[in-house]
Amino acid sequence: MTKIAYEKLTGLTQDEVLRRQQQDGFNELPSQGRRNGLDILIGVLKEPMFLLLIACGSLYLLSGEFQEALMLLGFVFVIIGITYYQEKKTERALEALKDLSSPRAFVIREGEKIRIPGREVVCGDVILLAEGDRVPADCILVHTVNFCVDESLLTGESVPVCKSSTPDQATIIGKPGGEDHPFAFSGTLVVSGQAVGIIKAVGSRTELGIIGKALQSIKEERTPLQVQTGNIVRIFALAGGLLCILVVVVFCLTRGKIMEGFLAGLSLAMAILPEEFPVVLTIFMALGAWRISKYRVLTRRVPAIETLGSATVLCVDKTGTLTQNRMTVSDILAEDRIFRVGKDNDALPEEFHEVVEYAILASPADPFDPMEKAMKDLGERTLANTGHLHASWTLQREYPLSKGLLAMSRVWVSASGEDLIIAAKGAPEAIADLCHFDTQRLKWLEGKIDMLSSQGKRVIGVAAGRYKKTDLPEQQHDFQFEFTGLLGLEDPVRPHVKGAIEECYAAGIRTLMITGDYPGTAMSIARQIGLRNPDRHITGPELEALTDEELAERIKEVNIFARMVPEQKLRIVKALKINKEIVAMTGDGVNDAPALKAAHIGVAMGARGTDVAREASSLVLLDDDFNSIVTAVRMGRRIYDNLKKAMMYILSVHIPIAGLSLIPVLFKWPLILFPVHIVFLELIIDPACTLIFEADKDDTGVMERNPRSVDEKLFEPSTLLKCFFQGGLTLAVTLAVYLFIRHDHSTETARALAFLTLVVCNLGMILSNRSLTRSGLSMLKEKNSAFKWVMTGTSIVMGLVLTLPFLRSLYRFGPVSLTDFFLALAGGFVAVGLMEVLKIVPRLN
């Protein structure tokens, strides 16, 4: 944004902002907001498991067993409390992500230019708009430069409309649509140019608010994992329902006890129904997105978390992602002389003064661009006392960069008021075009560019001209320019990029560098960061000449794409998809949006990215750092691994519970498990599968294996075999203890010891499944607060149930001797030990 555009606008004071926020509220559309406690409670009570628990409690009440009924219904409230806590934690995570994803806006307040969340914009704010921004509120445009807006959201017209400006800030805002109106509307997208506006309407008073478009609400879509878990739950629910009816009928026909038959049937239904699956998936994804955000990566679309672990190629921009986006001028070329600029070198020879002088004149007075900042810093350091800095000059006109000419010019009126001074800078080829270089001169320039770019330098051309004080031409080409020189700038590589690249290769992930720079610059950076095949590249013109099939073949070996324009990223994504790659693509501009949307994982830049790019992406890097992408991939693999371990545990633990509910009915034994026992187990299962596994760190070597296939099933044959082994082993050991004890003890004592064995196996199963490769003993050393609480709480409650007569009678347990107690513990430890042995069997891991 040019300084002339807003230098006379000081904006609102902080007191005025607060007063207007109190008067008009925040700049946001009405939304459903967070769920309150009652909403969560109603949602919990709709779950099938709680309906079954309430049914069981009601049966106990009808049969006159008030103690059992009260205890069972009491457990319902305990589980509701646990679920409520988990839901609240998920809500907090989602709310934190919503705050992070809030659009940003540049405003002027008290004379200072600041960036604020879009929701904090108030009427009267002076707002600065640039290409790629989403307009945060309805405004009057008081200054525009080639400003065009996409208003299709409001008008349905896909062609962008160009805007004019008005000096009258009291103008009444019109309606969307039409050319040359000085209005911009909330939710519309800036597709080109810059503007300064005065906010006139916020929140529900905007055109968007009046129409009632709720832009911030994102329609959720079912992910592959949600589809898989939904199918599993339906299958088990159907099987559980049929077996429940069968058990009730068989029990009533063989024993004639209707009430016990219903209890047995409901117990079996509760045992078989894996209602934890969808809950676990929801919590893992929400908390996973929250955990990734702590590493400065915002998840905008949940499916990206699933896909992260499958990524095979990372396509990244060079500037700001692989490098620090902190440019410094390293070389100045004037004719055939080159001056090397040192960090502390304040002495600049006279023949190089004009190059720096005109580079600064061709740049905004208060630049954002890192290269323009570097030029300004160099000028302030080396030209302070030379007369080559012109703070008193007045800007007459600006000719912005365009697709047709990658150069910008600024026309100045000097302090003496003589001829107009024109300064231009941009791509050396564009500057050569402005200076009308002949073939020989172009060849000379190419040699100088190659020399600098081969050293990894970004090369900028500078030109100067004079013009009589008449009407200014419409195009830069109409000026007479003289070539002034070249600037070589370098952008240091980010410190940890090389290590991150190596980590990607170890994880089976290729990295492709895409840049608008010269091949020499790109190859130099590639060597510094350890990119493979650093001497092979494809340029933008070369890419245009290739067919999709030819590009798909060449892209298998080439990792450097130089002199690329944003539109060509889409072809790169398509070529990688032809090769069956899972693509993560970074981008920051409006033109990057198609490629970001086409990639499996679109990654937008948070610091320098446009709103358009962010909305088309799945992830947003809040610090634009390549290391953050690698961290996100590692986190994605960890989340999926922990999710899979939790799902395996849920399936495994339901096998013995279902078996112990069904087998006694089939063999006409006394019931081993009653609803109260299953509720006790649920108090272990629920926090285990949602809190313990979710909080575990990634397994060693998570980034040393190839990406998983996107078609990989959650329960593959080997995974199912392991689940059935763990569950079947637990069932066998528990039944063995029950039958052994029952020979010379009461049924109640046998039930107590069988339940103790099942609980020990359950805890052991949690410990064993926390890592698929490391031993359970080593996992005991890993910090996991939830696991310690579950272990401690279960041990204490189990001890009380076995020793206190009142609790024993509620659970229908008999007295347990110390010898019998250790026998049950031994049975559980044997089962856990065999589960650990399973980890060394290669096929099952």
Side-chain angles (χ1 to χ4, degrees), residues 354-363 372 375 399 401 405-412 421-428 430-435 460-466 476-477 479-487:
E354 275 196 353
V355 183
V356 179
E357 174 187 5
Y358 283 96
I360 294 172
L361 285 172
S363 304
E372 293 173 340
M375 297 170 196
Y399 294 86
L401 200 78
L405 185 66
L406 298 178
M408 63 182 296
S409 300
R410 294 162 71 84
V411 182
W412 295 90
I421 309 298
I422 306 101
K425 69 171 177 59
I431 296 298
D433 184 18
L434 289 176
C435 295
I460 297 295
V462 182
R466 287 182 175 271
Q476 300 179 64
H477 265 297
F479 291 111
Q480 292 295 320
F481 284 102
E482 290 187 6
F483 184 74
T484 305
L486 297 175
L487 294 175

Side-chain angles (χ1 to χ4, degrees), residues 283-469:
I283 290 174
F284 265 68
M285 291 301 151
L287 293 182
W290 173 72
R291 287 189 186 279
I292 290 177
S293 74
K294 295 171 76 174
Y295 292 92
R296 310 287 294 162
V297 180
L298 171 64
T299 305
R300 297 193 71 255
R301 292 182 175 85
V302 169
I305 297 178
E306 295 182 25
T307 314
L308 275 170
S310 302
T312 60
V313 177
L314 302 182
C315 299
V316 295
D317 297 305
K318 175 182 72 67
T319 304
T321 307
L322 298 174
T323 62
Q324 297 179 24
N325 200 22
R326 185 173 52 82
M327 303 294 289
T328 57
V329 178
S330 59
D331 301 83
I332 307 174
L333 181 143
E335 289 302 326
D336 285 316
R337 292 198 60 190
I338 290 183
F339 180 75
R340 307 287 184 188
V341 180
K343 286 184 179 179
D344 302 319
N345 192 345
D346 294 337
L348 186 65
E350 180 65 33
E351 58 263 44
F352 299 102
H353 284 191
E354 275 196 353
V355 183
V356 179
E357 174 187 5
Y358 283 96
I360 294 172
L361 285 172
S363 304
D366 187 13
F368 284 102
D369 183 86
M371 290 189 294
E372 293 173 340
K373 282 185 177 181
M375 297 170 196
K376 182 180 180 182
D377 291 344
L378 177 64
E380 290 177 346
R381 197 173 79 235
T382 61
L383 303 179
N385 301 312
T386 62
H388 289 281
L389 297 180
H390 308 289
S392 61
W393 288 14
T394 305
L395 180 63
Q396 185 76 12
R397 181 168 176 178
E398 179 183 84
Y399 294 86
L401 200 78
S402 67
K403 291 182 180 179
L405 185 66
L406 298 178
M408 63 182 296
S409 300
R410 294 162 71 84
V411 182
W412 295 90
V413 178
S414 67
S416 62
E418 297 176 357
D419 293 347
L420 300 175
I421 309 298
I422 306 101
K425 69 171 177 59
E429 303 98 322
I431 296 298
D433 184 18
L434 289 176
C435 295
H436 306 291
F437 273 17
D438 57 24
T439 305
Q440 183 178 354
R441 191 71 166 153
L442 279 174
K443 188 174 181 180
W444 169 84
L445 182 65
E446 287 173 1
K448 301 301 181 184
I449 293 170
D450 290 343
M451 176 190 65
L452 291 171
S453 61
S454 65
Q455 302 168 19
K457 309 294 173 62
R458 181 78 175 268
V459 186
I460 297 295
V462 182
R466 287 182 175 271
Y467 195 78
K468 296 293 183 181
K469 285 189 174 181

Side-chain angles (χ1 to χ4, degrees), residues 437-661:
F437 273 17
D438 57 24
T439 305
Q440 183 178 354
R441 191 71 166 153
L442 279 174
K443 188 174 181 180
W444 169 84
L445 182 65
E446 287 173 1
K448 301 301 181 184
I449 293 170
D450 290 343
M451 176 190 65
L452 291 171
S453 61
S454 65
Q455 302 168 19
K457 309 294 173 62
R458 181 78 175 268
V459 186
I460 297 295
V462 182
R466 287 182 175 271
Y467 195 78
K468 296 293 183 181
K469 285 189 174 181
T470 57
D471 292 338
L472 292 173
E474 291 300 316
Q475 298 181 1
Q476 300 179 64
H477 265 297
D478 296 333
F479 291 111
Q480 292 295 320
F481 284 102
E482 290 187 6
F483 184 74
T484 305
L486 297 175
L487 294 175
L489 299 99
E490 60 183 5
D491 184 6
V493 171
R494 289 184 181 266
H496 305 294
V497 164
K498 187 172 184 179
I501 295 285
E502 292 173 356
E503 189 175 8
C504 284
Y505 283 130
I509 303 171
R510 285 176 63 199
T511 302
L512 271 59
M513 179 171 64
I514 303 173
T515 178
D517 266 350
Y518 289 95
T521 305
M523 290 189 291
S524 174
I525 296 295
R527 294 186 190 98
Q528 293 180 52
I529 64 177
L531 213 61
R532 291 177 182 172
N533 300 329
D535 298 322
R536 304 181 66 177
H537 66 271
I538 295 176
T539 64
E542 289 172 351
L543 185 143
E544 288 297 323
L546 297 174
T547 65
D548 289 343
E549 291 72 20
E550 290 170 340
L551 178 59
E553 189 60 34
R554 286 198 62 187
I555 208 170
K556 292 177 181 179
E557 299 294 332
V558 177
N559 297 321
I560 301 171
F561 293 81
R563 300 308 279 171
M564 292 284 159
V565 294
E567 290 86 346
Q568 293 173 325
K569 287 184 176 182
L570 182 58
R571 285 202 64 196
I572 294 173
V573 172
K574 289 180 177 178
L576 290 167
K577 282 186 169 182
I578 290 174
N579 295 337
K580 306 299 182 183
E581 304 279 10
I582 305 300
V583 187
M585 167 70 76
T586 68
D588 56 10
V590 175
N591 293 336
D592 289 329
L596 292 173
K597 194 168 184 179
H600 297 95
I601 309 168
V603 184
M605 302 296 107
R608 68 179 189 276
T610 60
D611 285 345
V612 183
R614 283 192 285 269
E615 290 188 10
S617 66
S618 305
L619 302 176
V620 178
L621 301 185
L622 299 180
D623 54 8
D624 297 2
D625 190 349
F626 175 77
N627 294 53
S628 298
I629 306 177
V630 181
T631 300
V633 171
R634 187 188 305 114
M635 287 293 295
R637 290 188 175 192
R638 165 192 162 176
I639 291 165
Y640 183 84
D641 285 353
N642 287 348
L643 175 65
K644 186 170 183 176
K645 288 184 285 190
M647 296 293 195
M648 287 173 61
Y649 162 71
I650 293 169
L651 184 57
S652 299
V653 79
H654 275 276
I655 291 171
I657 297 174
L660 292 172
S661 300

